[in-house]
């Protein structure tokens, strides 16, 4: 096994540990660079989608399905909320047979009785799932990505009644 590693890494047995550590360090550095690049892409995406808001009731709403990983939804929502200032951000990420929905609400709207956890409870039914969270940020997962347009419509309907 050691000889196979030496051959694969093009090094001697004496330098195998050093070579392995160098590869681990390089991997860590590349991972960090990828993460920084993804963050920059997310910020640029937030700038772009922030122009797609609509006024629903007394709130500005951004409701959109985006092509990013579910883990990146909260960062995108945070960045988009910074761009629009006051409003509700409803972002979804859809896969083949599952989806993720995240709702973020600005502090001024929370004081006007608009809460992300209330909105997510209504919308999560449409995607065949469940979720929860807090007043400012809530998320749900579901097994029906086709229900995302109805979930966004539920959010619009709720905002119209407030």
């Amino acid at each position: 096994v050691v000889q196979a590693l030496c051959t694969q890494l093009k090094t001697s047995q004496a330098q195998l540990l050093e070579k392995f550590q160098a590869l681990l360090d390089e991997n860590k550095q590349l991972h960090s660079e990828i993460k920084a690049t993804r963050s920059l892409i997310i910020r640029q995406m937030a700038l772009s989608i922030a122009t797609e808001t609509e006024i629903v009731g007394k709130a500005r709403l951004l409701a959109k399905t985006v092509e990013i990983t579910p883990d990146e939804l909260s960062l995108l929502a945070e960045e988009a909320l910074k761009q629009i200032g006051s409003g509700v951000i409803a972002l979804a990420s859809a896969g083949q047979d599952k989806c993720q929905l995240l709702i973020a609400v600005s502090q001024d709207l929370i004081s006007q009785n608009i809460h992300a956890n209330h909105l997510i409870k209504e919308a999560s039914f449409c995607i065949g799932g469940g979720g929860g969270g807090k007043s400012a940020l809530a998320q749900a997962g579901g097994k029906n990505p086709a229900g995302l347009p109805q979930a966004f419509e539920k959010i619009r309907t709720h905002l119209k009644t407030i």
Side-chain angles (χ1 to χ4, degrees), residues 84-103:
I84 69 169
S86 173
V88 174
I89 307 291
L91 296 175
S93 174
Q96 192 78 343
D97 58 351
K98 61 183 178 176
C99 58
Q100 196 75 16
L101 178 63
L102 183 135
I103 300 174

Side-chain angles (χ1 to χ4, degrees), residues 17 53 96 156:
L17 191 55
T53 61
Q96 192 78 343
R156 285 182 187 94

Side-chain angles (χ1 to χ4, degrees), residues 9 18-34:
L9 297 175
E18 283 180 37
K19 181 72 170 184
F20 184 70
Q21 187 60 50
L23 287 172
L24 287 175
D25 292 343
E26 180 182 12
N27 185 41
K28 185 176 180 181
Q29 176 65 28
L30 291 172
H31 182 67
S32 179
E33 289 175 16
I34 289 169

Side-chain angles (χ1 to χ4, degrees), residues 7-159:
T7 303
Q8 190 71 9
L9 297 175
K10 298 179 179 128
T11 191
S12 67
Q13 275 186 325
Q15 295 181 330
L16 182 59
L17 191 55
E18 283 180 37
K19 181 72 170 184
F20 184 70
Q21 187 60 50
L23 287 172
L24 287 175
D25 292 343
E26 180 182 12
N27 185 41
K28 185 176 180 181
Q29 176 65 28
L30 291 172
H31 182 67
S32 179
E33 289 175 16
I34 289 169
K35 188 174 180 181
T37 301
R38 289 295 301 163
S39 291
L40 181 61
I41 290 168
I42 297 292
R43 281 190 214 95
Q44 293 299 319
M45 186 182 285
L47 283 170
S48 174
I49 67 173
T51 62
E52 299 177 34
T53 61
E54 58 187 287
I55 303 297
V56 181
K58 59 182 174 182
R60 183 180 283 184
L61 172 66
L62 171 60
K64 186 168 182 66
T65 299
V66 291
E67 292 186 28
I68 59 174
T69 66
D71 294 339
E72 295 170 324
L73 280 176
S74 62
L75 178 59
L76 181 57
E78 178 184 323
E79 291 294 327
L81 201 51
K82 284 180 190 175
Q83 293 301 313
I84 69 169
S86 173
V88 174
I89 307 291
L91 296 175
S93 174
Q96 192 78 343
D97 58 351
K98 61 183 178 176
C99 58
Q100 196 75 16
L101 178 63
L102 183 135
I103 300 174
V105 178
S106 61
Q107 288 299 318
D108 64 310
L109 294 181
I110 292 170
S111 65
Q112 296 177 38
N113 207 29
I114 298 174
H115 301 277
N117 53 337
H118 297 161
L119 292 170
I120 205 75
K121 284 181 183 173
E122 290 188 27
S124 64
F125 177 76
C126 299
I127 60 171
K134 298 185 178 186
S135 295
L137 185 71
Q139 57 186 354
K143 296 183 180 191
N144 180 21
L148 286 169
Q150 294 91 346
F152 290 144
E153 197 53 44
K154 281 272 191 198
I155 294 166
R156 285 182 187 94
T157 301
H158 185 85
L159 292 175

